[in-house]
Each structure stands twice: as structure tokens, then as C-alpha cells.
């Protein structure tokens, strides 16, 4: 039986892959919270390590600890705000299956009326003078 590479009209969307499925909102929030707390724990430990290293004249270790204590908060905040943005194939943008209509049929006499200098008469009503509210009719 020959197969066609063109999709059928009633073809189903591809199944959601486990690797592309998003985490639940609760699971994602817990993961980000633990990553933030871990980074801030490392930062908290860096302060006493830096003080101890400076007092014992281990300057290389002291400057590394100071660097970690200063830089980690920025990365911790970025990690905490990094929401899972993965999208599976089911939610990926799809091409439209049918196009939009051509719109209303053009009025064949409209061009002739525009060239003839027709005058439109009527009353101009401003939004300023239009009553609004429950008693407006």
C-alpha cells in the first residue's frame, strides 16, 4: 500500500513527547525556590569564609569568597525568575489550515461616484455630546 508524504485532511497532531512536556507550575516553582535557596546558602557561607581567609592571610581564597558573595545574588535572582518556557509540538504555532476570505465584494459603481464629486449630507455627532450611562437611549 503506497503512502503519501502529504498530511491527510483529518490527520492528528503529533503526540506530546515526554522530553518536551512542561513541568507543572507547582513543580517548577519548587525547583526554582530550591535553586535560589541553594545559591543564597552558598553566598551566606562565603561571608564567614572570606573573613576567616583574610584573618589567616589566605588572600586568594578570601577574594574568591568575596567574589562569590557579591556575584551570586544576581544569578540567584535570574534563576528564581526563569520560568520553564519549553513548548511541545502541540502548542507550537501552526500554519492556518484555511485562508481568510477575500472580504466583501467591491461595489462596481463606487469608483464612478468618487470621481463624480458626489456630496454626502448628514449630521456630525461628537462623542462629547453623546449621553452615556444606563439612561442613555
Amino acid at each position: 500500500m503506497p503512502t503519501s508524504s502529504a498530511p491527510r485532511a483529518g490527520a492528528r497532531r503529533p503526540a506530546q513527547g515526554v522530553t518536551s512536556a512542561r513541568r507543572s507550575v507547582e513543580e517548577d516553582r519548587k525547583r526554582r525556590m530550591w535553586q535560589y535557596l541553594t545559591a543564597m546558602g552558598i553566598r551566606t557561607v562565603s561571608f564567614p569564609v572570606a573573613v576567616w581567609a583574610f584573618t589567616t592571610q589566605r588572600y586568594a581564597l578570601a577574594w574568591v569568597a568575596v567574589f562569590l558573595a557579591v556575584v551570586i545574588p544576581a544569578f540567584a535572582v535570574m534563576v528564581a525568575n526563569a520560568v520553564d518556557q519549553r513548548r511541545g509540538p502541540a502548542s507550537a504555532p501552526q500554519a492556518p489550515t484555511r485562508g481568510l476570505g477575500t472580504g466583501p465584494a467591491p461595489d462596481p459603481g463606487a469608483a464612478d461616484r468618487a470621481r463624480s464629486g458626489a456630496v454626502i449630507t448628514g449630521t456630525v455627532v461628537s462623542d462629547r455630546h453623546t449621553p452615556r450611562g444606563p439612561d442613555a437611549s
Side-chain angles (χ1 to χ4, degrees):
M1 181 187 300
T3 59
S4 171
S5 61
R8 296 184 325 220
R12 293 183 179 179
R13 290 184 179 178
Q16 178 77 37
V18 173
T19 56
S20 63
R22 294 179 66 174
R23 292 181 182 93
S24 70
V25 175
E26 184 66 24
E27 184 181 332
D28 186 48
R29 186 188 62 80
K30 284 181 182 179
R31 180 191 55 83
R32 290 184 290 123
M33 181 180 67
W34 278 109
Q35 286 178 340
Y36 178 79
L37 290 175
T38 302
M40 294 310 282
I42 293 169
R43 178 184 187 238
T44 303
V45 169
S46 295
F47 279 114
V49 167
V51 171
W52 170 79
F54 273 120
T55 58
T56 58
Q57 298 178 354
R58 292 181 171 99
Y59 297 113
L61 178 62
W63 286 113
V64 168
V66 167
F67 177 78
L68 288 175
V70 170
V71 172
I72 283 182
F75 287 106
V77 169
M78 285 189 282
V79 166
N81 290 331
V83 179
D84 187 4
Q85 297 291 328
R86 289 183 297 173
R87 293 176 182 244
S91 62
Q94 301 286 326
T97 55
R98 59 185 171 102
L100 298 174
T102 58
D107 184 9
D112 294 335
R113 284 194 300 272
R115 278 184 247 139
S116 68
V119 177
I120 300 173
T121 59
T123 305
V124 176
V125 179
S126 171
D127 285 344
R128 239 181 333 167
H129 304 293
T130 305
R132 295 180 189 216
D135 58 333
S137 53

